[in-house]
Amino acid sequence: MKKLPLLLMGCGGVGRLLLHHIVSCRPLHSKQGLRLRVVGVCDSSSLVVTSDVFSEELDDDFLMEVCRVKSNGSSLLTLNNFGACQVVSSQEVIKIATDIAALLGKSTGLAFVDCSASSETVGMLNQVVGLGCCVVLANKKPLTASLELYDQLVSQPRRIRHESTVGAGLPVVASLNRMVSCGDPIYRIIGSLSGTLGYVMSELENGKPFSQDVNAAKSLGYTEPDPRDDLGGMDVARKALILARLLGHRLNLENIKVESLYPVEMGPNMMPVEDFLVNGLPLLDKGIQDRIMKASSNGNVLRYVCLIGNNGCEVGIQELAKDSPLGRLRGSDNLLEIYSRCYSEQPLVIQGAGAGNDTTAAGVLADILDIQDLFP
Amino acid sequence: MKKLPLLLMGCGGVGRLLLHHIVSCRPLHSKQGLRLRVVGVCDSSSLVVTSDVFSEELDDDFLMEVCRVKSNGSSLLTLNNFGACQVVSSQEVIKIATDIAALLGKSTGLAFVDCSASSETVGMLNQVVGLGCCVVLANKKPLTASLELYDQLVSQPRRIRHESTVGAGLPVVASLNRMVSCGDPIYRIIGSLSGTLGYVMSELENGKPFSQDVNAAKSLGYTEPDPRDDLGGMDVARKALILARLLGHRLNLENIKVESLYPVEMGPNMMPVEDFLVNGLPLLDKGIQDRIMKASSNGNVLRYVCLIGNNGCEVGIQELAKDSPLGRLRGSDNLLEIYSRCYSEQPLVIQGAGAGNDTTAAGVLADILDIQDLFP
């Protein structure tokens, strides 16, 4: 039985579902001669780690108890019974985690799985990569830090996987990596990477005003609590940066031209969210409607996309042919058109749900299984 | 520098392009600390193998000479200068190849790359899998042999890759493997896996008769020399069987219900191809047109697809919603809709060119790179 030791950072929605999937896949993985051995879990308050990381693991009952506690929004510290586990307070997490990485990295192997949304993990991840560990990310932040930190993080490219950072579990990163590795140069990616903005842009075609579409998206639960977090485009920009860097573009987040769908004077520091929804948004309807009419008179539609080409990377509204894959897109699916030598006239298209904790966690688990050959 | 020894079977269009890609990717792979070391190449007449498989490789000049000779349709035996290579006649190929597999399989590792179209390779492939080798296939035949042979071939699932057997280089097999491994059960695949039939079925919507569409596809070079090889559906059935087996269905080729688009009395044994094209095909126009009218009156279109579900696998014409991904498909692209727990209402969709030697060879190369962690 091959063993894959894991340390999980972040037990929010994605992290919890990952633990669930790991436990429910035990019979499947056992048939494949594989055991995912969770040696530690970590939230923002503390790290809980098994007393002997070489031979012991957090058992499945304990992992399910972690899920229960975290689904209540409580901290790991409220767990009732830590058994023989070591509980490390947040100040010591980095030291203890890197100690474990140093012990296991080059012996049994160890995968650090980052399902947090923290920008603080990148330093630790870079340390553990240097200690021979693997890294699997659902967290976009470490990959969108400075180029210097990025280069360290991906210095062992076989030891890092991050499918779920773009399009949740959609096989985007894996597919791009395949193309890059076999020398099929990708010269253009254009993609709708926000379910929220995809929904809003395609609903506009039904003639409803922008403000109404955004409010509808909010009631459907598609948006962040403050829809400006979606409308500003920064989440799309992060995903675009991750893809652009995969293709070898030497960019930082600030090099990406990002179009915000609301003006500065309606920003979160200027206007409460309720005020924005009721009074701000309707002021934007006319401008957007004019752009739609203009696009429509050219036989085109508007989509909020990332565009990665030889001239760099930008994020915003583009006018696209009605009968292109992106032009035909409806609803909240993500969709990428990828153009390369092999897909020069007609793109490679990948489409599907690009959000959701279940899909995201499934992508993380597939990544973990993908690195199994690196473990002894 | 990590070395991946390869033995290539089949130097037709795909095999030749693979050698080209291997040579042109040298700088890229060198940067990744990787060297693809071709120790032997094989066509139907002979195997040419380096004199010392442990330390030597066929050099790039020699590989390019192989490409030149094979692109003229000549046999490997017509090569001018074999240098220190060993040339093995077809009778001895299996013995010598398995000897090499026994030498390298468990020491340096060895990948057998089958780019032939032969049904004869499966026995040898099963032997070398048993000897610790990896197998990469563009050849569908070994994967569509009996279940007994299939089970042997995939007995070491990490050591076999075969992306290019379905949809050329489209990331279909890799994506399905990811989903299966992470316990996201796939309950339905519906896909257009023949560029020829995809083109014909979507052209029918423009009101042209079936016979005219098939002849147009033939002049565009989309069909086999005898279009009945496409219209019979057996090539789609083989691809469907490969996907169905990936999902765990215990099926053989004869368990798949296949709809042929021409009747038995117009088969290759009953009617020469010219006769079929001129006199046979037009007799089929009315029947197909009636079906299109009926589908159209339901707001649907016809597509020639494979359908893999819990009740088995079938291949033939299906009536599909106009506004589904397959219903919106035009031209010769392949397209798969994949339904699973994570993609339950809206499918995961993968679309793109599903044929072409360049794309197929790129898929094979990506597979080879994907197994690099299995080599010491």
Side-chain angles (χ1 to χ4, degrees), chain B residues 302-325:
Chain B
L302 299 184
R303 293 288 179 262
Y304 193 97
V305 293
C306 77
L307 191 59
I308 305 166
N310 293 330
N311 297 325
C313 177
E314 56 183 293
V315 164
I317 292 181
Q318 296 276 341
E319 208 178 300
L320 300 172
K322 235 181 206 152
D323 64 348
S324 66

Side-chain angles (χ1 to χ4, degrees), chain A residues 21 25 28-29 32 157-158 161 163-164 167-171 174-175 178-184 325 328-333 341-343 346-354 358-367 369-374, chain B residues 21 25 28-29 32 157-158 161 163-164 167-171 174-175 178-184 325 328-333 341-343 346-354 358-367 369-374:
Chain A
H21 289 350
C25 284
L28 177 70
H29 295 155
Q32 297 163 359
R158 300 294 298 173
R161 294 288 191 283
E163 187 59 83
S164 294
L170 284 182
S175 300
R178 284 180 65 88
M179 294 170 78
V180 170
S181 72
C182 72
D184 181 19
R328 286 192 294 260
L329 182 66
R330 293 288 176 286
S332 64
D333 268 2
R341 187 192 67 231
C342 285
Y343 302 96
Q346 295 279 90
L348 166 62
V349 179
I350 299 172
Q351 178 184 349
D358 186 7
T359 320
T360 307
V364 173
L365 183 52
D367 274 352
L369 297 164
D370 207 30
I371 51 171
Q372 63 182 276
D373 301 325
L374 291 163
Chain B
H21 290 350
C25 284
L28 177 70
H29 295 156
Q32 297 163 358
R158 298 294 298 171
R161 295 289 191 282
E163 186 59 83
S164 294
L170 285 181
S175 301
R178 283 180 66 88
M179 295 169 79
V180 169
S181 72
C182 72
D184 181 19
R328 286 193 293 260
L329 181 65
R330 293 290 177 282
S332 63
D333 268 2
R341 186 192 68 232
C342 284
Y343 303 96
Q346 295 280 89
L348 166 62
V349 179
I350 299 172
Q351 178 185 347
D358 186 8
T359 319
T360 307
V364 173
L365 182 52
D367 274 351
L369 297 165
D370 207 30
I371 52 171
Q372 63 181 274
D373 301 326
L374 291 162

Side-chain angles (χ1 to χ4, degrees), chain B residues 176-197:
Chain B
L176 291 176
N177 271 331
R178 283 180 66 88
M179 295 169 79
V180 169
S181 72
C182 72
D184 181 19
I186 296 163
Y187 52 80
R188 184 179 153 94
I189 294 178
I190 176 163
S192 178
L193 295 178
S194 157
T196 318
L197 295 175

Side-chain angles (χ1 to χ4, degrees), chain A residues 154-207:
Chain A
V154 302
S155 60
Q156 302 294 324
R158 300 294 298 173
R159 298 191 172 273
I160 179 160
R161 294 288 191 283
H162 57 88
E163 187 59 83
S164 294
T165 55
V166 181
L170 284 182
V172 170
V173 173
S175 300
L176 292 176
N177 271 332
R178 284 180 65 88
M179 294 170 78
V180 170
S181 72
C182 72
D184 181 19
I186 295 163
Y187 52 81
R188 183 178 154 95
I189 294 178
I190 175 164
S192 178
L193 295 177
S194 156
T196 317
L197 295 175
Y199 172 84
V200 168
M201 298 310 290
S202 75
E203 281 299 296
L204 283 171
E205 279 159 63
N206 299 335

